[in-house]
């Protein structure tokens, strides 16, 4: 009989007994949204690649404007105009300036820009009524991304923001991971795919876990629901192992079913742990069959979701080289939350009008709370609860 | 010359001058992730559809266990076992109980369940050592989703959580909106698609806005970058209008370009506003050509992103019937943030180690801050800044 392990130990056991299986491929930038970077992106150029002004006005040597006022404007010779997209080749000498538009390239010798609103012109003279400091109103070469720096790290999910950085660096082909193929098998004598009779319930886990794995960027093979019969599960699991990189088997809740899954995994391969000291999610199994990881998830949808979120998803982060997930923010509890010493507890939460956290109370297996929740919190297994007013870390669902 | 409007007025003007153009289609549940519900989902059944136990043990009448202790257990007659997925047809009478597994259907007459750990058996008798209250250890019919209630609202983006609810209700075909086709046009003499020469910069907006609109569920037609020439832009805009439902034209930053876009829109259709009192994002244009909305966005990538996020995305929410977006949470500022009276200001922020907000400082047009940021905050246009320690609303990027 295997011991119940902590979540931290569970993740450690999983990492030590699996290898990073992901292949790498290259996709066009336009198709990279949602994919995961397979390499660090190191900039080989400065962005921008030249000093630019951030205002419409005149490129100047800042020192030439020092002390300028409405009563005593600085008088600078306008030696030309820099058009957008043009190489500003003519150098500024002391006492000179050049007309420039927002985003235009500063000519050699210029170190600041004066806003057109603070100037007047008289023939080829520009009257500057307000001094500027060196580097005022300009973006320096490399201010956005410096050449030679790591602009994006391996393991980063590509969102809109990363797309912008990749475009700015001219990376039109992006190295990304081929995400694993995950087979999903739902078991339970009470689980039906069609209309449920009294005593039966619909198969939620197939759809919930398919969505969760798809949202995580994986390819999913939903096997569907099968009865809690040894030969049926054995055959289904074998088929899943043959077709996928990872198998999720969400258990029926019949007494003894979990032991059956463990027994089948032991027959086909090896079980590494059976039970995690967390709630929801205690009846979680991890094993390997033909070198492929198999996760036994609880039958209750909410518990299955949390195990996916905290164990399977973290394992996928590991595969992609991403660091352990960080909380999205911190907030105070609106009320006391009791918890059982000895197991880590996770709760769905919402924010009240004053921004404090309120648990979305629920019984095990209730799925609709996931839609109401705005995040979740964890309570340490060495704690007997958390007091009202305590600031806690909040994770996104 | 049109006046600069507030963001709130801008959104109002857009809503008043556009119609809800989205068609509705039905997609299989498995393909609905990321889509937007086109109808309220009203439950026509209870989830669960029967009273279930949440423990392994015995279904009982709670009153029969009142006063039970280790020394004086309640003695109940075991009249049968309820198998998973079976209709529990035999009714419990006072003094009787039935063996049941987690998730099993309570028989008529039972109103609670006793955990097996708190029982012993002797022949056909169950000894109960701990009393249970009515409804203890059970999920009542409809506890998750009550028949006749709105389980999910029109306009909801379907995430993993919603998939679970739809599956629980047996909704295998989901009514979703056909999201609009958005054409994206990038203009500017300094913008190039290939390798930039001195004075030139890469086209970031085409990729950034394509990703933002794709992430929002829209179909995107990226037109690419064109020079700031009236005839070129006019021809490109006409083509975009013909092919798409909505056009985004992100402007070059040359002085006078914005006026050119306004002038072209006036020629082809009508301009409703030119300028929003917000930073970044002031040079934003809204017009209509052949009944189709055209948004003129700033040329600077960060500003273009914020206008997409705060104006275009909010317009898309409106099209789908979704309510105005709410902040994801509240947090305190780690330092004073000054702001200019008269315009609303938006800043990218991160959380420091103590969970307080720190702005990601940047110059206009710098795109890499979007990757560093964990959210953004807005500062009211009637404010001259927000003091350190003030709790403010945080929005996700």
């Amino acid at each position: 009989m295997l011991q119940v392990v902590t979540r931290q130990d569970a993740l450690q056991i999983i990492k030590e007994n699996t290898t990073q299986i992901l292949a790498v491929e290259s996709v066009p930038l336009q198709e990279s949204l949602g994919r995961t970077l397979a390499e660090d992106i190191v900039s080989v150029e400065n962005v921008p690649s030249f000093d630019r002004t951030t205002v419409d006005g005149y490129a100047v040597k800042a020192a030439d404007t020092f002390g300028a006022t409405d009563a005593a404007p600085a008088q600078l010779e306008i030696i030309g105009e820099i058009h957008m997209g043009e190489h500003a080749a003519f150098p500024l000498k002391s006492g000179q300036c050049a007309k420039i538009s927002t985003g235009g390239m500063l000519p050699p010798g210029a170190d600041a820009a004066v806003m057109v609103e603070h100037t007047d012109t008289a023939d080829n003279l520009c009257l500057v009524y307000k001094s500027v400091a060196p580097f005022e109103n300009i973006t320096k070469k490399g201010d956005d991304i410096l050449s030679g720096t790591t602009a994006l790290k391996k393991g980063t999910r590509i969102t809109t923001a990363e797309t912008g950085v990749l475009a700015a660096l001219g990376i039109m082909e992006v190295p990304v991971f081929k995400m694993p193929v995950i087979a999903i098998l739902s078991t339970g004598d009470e689980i039906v795919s069609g209309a449920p009779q009294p005593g039966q319930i619909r198969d939620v886990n197939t759809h919930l876990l398919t969505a969760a794995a798809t949202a995580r960027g994986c390819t999913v093979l939903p096997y569907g629901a099968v009865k809690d019969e040894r030969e049926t599960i054995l055959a289904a699991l074998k088929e899943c192992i043959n077709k996928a990189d990872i198998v999720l088997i969400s258990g029926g809740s019949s007494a003894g079913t979990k032991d059956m899954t463990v027994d089948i995994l032991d027959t086909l391969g090896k079980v590494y742990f059976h039970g995690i000291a967390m709630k929801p999610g205690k009846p979680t199994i991890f094993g390997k069959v033909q070198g492929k990881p198999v996760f036994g998830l609880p039958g209750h949808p909410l518990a299955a979701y949390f195990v996916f979120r905290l164990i399977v998803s973290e394992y996928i982060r590991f595969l992609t080289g991403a660091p352990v997930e960080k909380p999205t923010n911190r907030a105070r509890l609106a009320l006391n939350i009791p918890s059982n010493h000895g197991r880590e507890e996770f709760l769905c939460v919402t924010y009240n009008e004053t921004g404090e956290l309120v648990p979305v109370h629920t019984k095990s297996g209730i799925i609709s709370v996931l839609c109401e929740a705005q995040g979740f919190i964890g309570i340490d297994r060495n704690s007997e609860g958390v007091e009202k007013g305590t600031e806690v870390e909040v994770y996104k669902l």
Side-chain angles (χ1 to χ4, degrees), chain A residues 125-197:
Chain A
L125 279 189
C126 171
L127 308 180
V128 179
Y129 296 107
K130 197 162 179 288
S131 68
V132 286
F135 313 128
E136 193 168 336
N137 297 328
I138 68 168
T139 301
K140 294 202 69 171
K141 183 164 85 170
D143 258 356
D144 198 348
I145 306 168
L146 206 58
S147 182
T149 56
T150 301
L152 298 170
K153 281 200 160 47
K154 177 185 170 185
T156 302
R157 277 302 283 282
I158 299 171
T159 69
T160 301
E162 283 75 26
T163 306
V165 167
L166 292 166
L169 290 171
I171 296 169
M172 294 294 132
E173 293 289 324
V174 187
V176 294
F177 285 114
K178 278 190 184 174
M179 293 300 277
V181 176
I182 301 191
I184 291 170
L185 176 59
S186 192
T187 74
D189 286 337
E190 79 281 24
I191 308 294
V192 292
S193 296
Q197 300 300 312

Side-chain angles (χ1 to χ4, degrees), chain A residues 40-378:
Chain A
D40 285 350
I41 301 293
V42 177
S43 172
V44 294
E45 59 186 66
N46 286 303
V47 177
S49 62
F50 52 91
D51 296 347
R52 306 176 77 191
T53 167
T54 60
V55 296
D56 290 336
Y58 294 88
V60 299
K61 285 178 180 291
D64 286 348
T65 70
F66 292 173
T69 64
D70 283 348
Q75 299 194 15
L76 303 177
E77 181 197 0
I78 304 170
I79 62 162
E81 177 173 356
I82 299 150
H83 295 281
M84 291 303 291
E86 276 184 10
H87 186 188
F90 52 88
L92 279 197
K93 295 193 192 110
S94 186
Q96 296 182 330
C97 69
K99 197 160 187 286
I100 196 164
S101 302
T102 305
M105 181 177 181
L106 251 67
D111 63 358
V114 177
M115 289 174 78
V116 69
E117 292 88 336
H118 300 146
T119 64
D120 242 332
T121 53
D123 296 328
N124 73 331
L125 279 189
C126 171
L127 308 180
V128 179
Y129 296 107
K130 197 162 179 288
S131 68
V132 286
F135 313 128
E136 193 168 336
N137 297 328
I138 68 168
T139 301
K140 294 202 69 171
K141 183 164 85 170
D143 258 356
D144 198 348
I145 306 168
L146 206 58
S147 182
T149 56
T150 301
L152 298 170
K153 281 200 160 47
K154 177 185 170 185
T156 302
R157 277 302 283 282
I158 299 171
T159 69
T160 301
E162 283 75 26
T163 306
V165 167
L166 292 166
L169 290 171
I171 296 169
M172 294 294 132
E173 293 289 324
V174 187
V176 294
F177 285 114
K178 278 190 184 174
M179 293 300 277
V181 176
I182 301 191
I184 291 170
L185 176 59
S186 192
T187 74
D189 286 337
E190 79 281 24
I191 308 294
V192 292
S193 296
Q197 300 300 312
Q200 300 180 330
I201 57 163
R202 296 183 193 275
D203 175 17
V204 171
N205 283 351
T206 291
H207 302 284
L208 186 71
L209 295 172
T210 294
T214 303
R216 196 63 195 73
C218 301
T219 303
V220 178
L221 298 176
Y223 188 96
V226 299
K227 293 283 171 215
D228 274 335
E229 296 155 355
R230 188 184 157 87
E231 289 311 311
T232 310
I233 296 177
L234 193 72
L237 193 55
K238 277 183 181 168
E239 190 178 333
C240 289
I241 289 286
N242 285 336
K243 291 185 178 166
D245 301 312
I246 298 170
V247 180
L248 308 185
I249 171 167
S250 84
S253 39
S254 320
T257 306
K258 280 292 156 194
D259 295 334
M260 196 196 291
T261 305
V262 167
D263 186 51
I264 291 170
L265 286 176
D266 252 342
T267 307
L268 294 177
K270 182 177 172 186
V271 172
Y272 290 84
F273 63 77
H274 178 192
I276 301 180
M278 64 184 262
K279 181 192 174 185
K282 186 174 175 234
T284 298
I285 304 163
F286 174 68
K288 261 168 57 183
V289 175
Q290 294 172 30
K292 293 178 178 177
V294 179
F295 294 86
L297 272 50
H300 288 302
L302 192 66
Y305 178 79
F306 267 102
V307 174
F308 182 89
R309 187 63 189 69
L310 292 162
I311 304 294
V312 183
S313 184
E314 200 60 45
Y315 167 61
I316 295 169
R317 287 178 75 88
F318 162 71
L319 290 181
T320 66
V324 171
E325 191 191 355
K326 293 204 180 89
T328 47
N329 68 298
R330 299 172 68 90
R332 288 185 296 277
L333 292 177
L335 39 91
N336 294 327
I337 301 180
S339 178
N340 274 10
H341 187 85
R343 65 176 183 209
E344 202 176 10
E345 189 164 348
F346 295 94
L347 291 106
C348 288
V349 292
T350 54
Y351 296 89
N352 66 14
E353 308 91 59
T354 58
E356 290 177 322
L357 296 170
V358 182
V360 184
H361 275 300
T362 174
K363 291 174 183 158
S364 181
I366 291 203
I367 187 63
S368 56
V369 296
L370 272 186
C371 295
E372 290 167 41
Q374 294 178 283
F376 71 90
I377 62 171

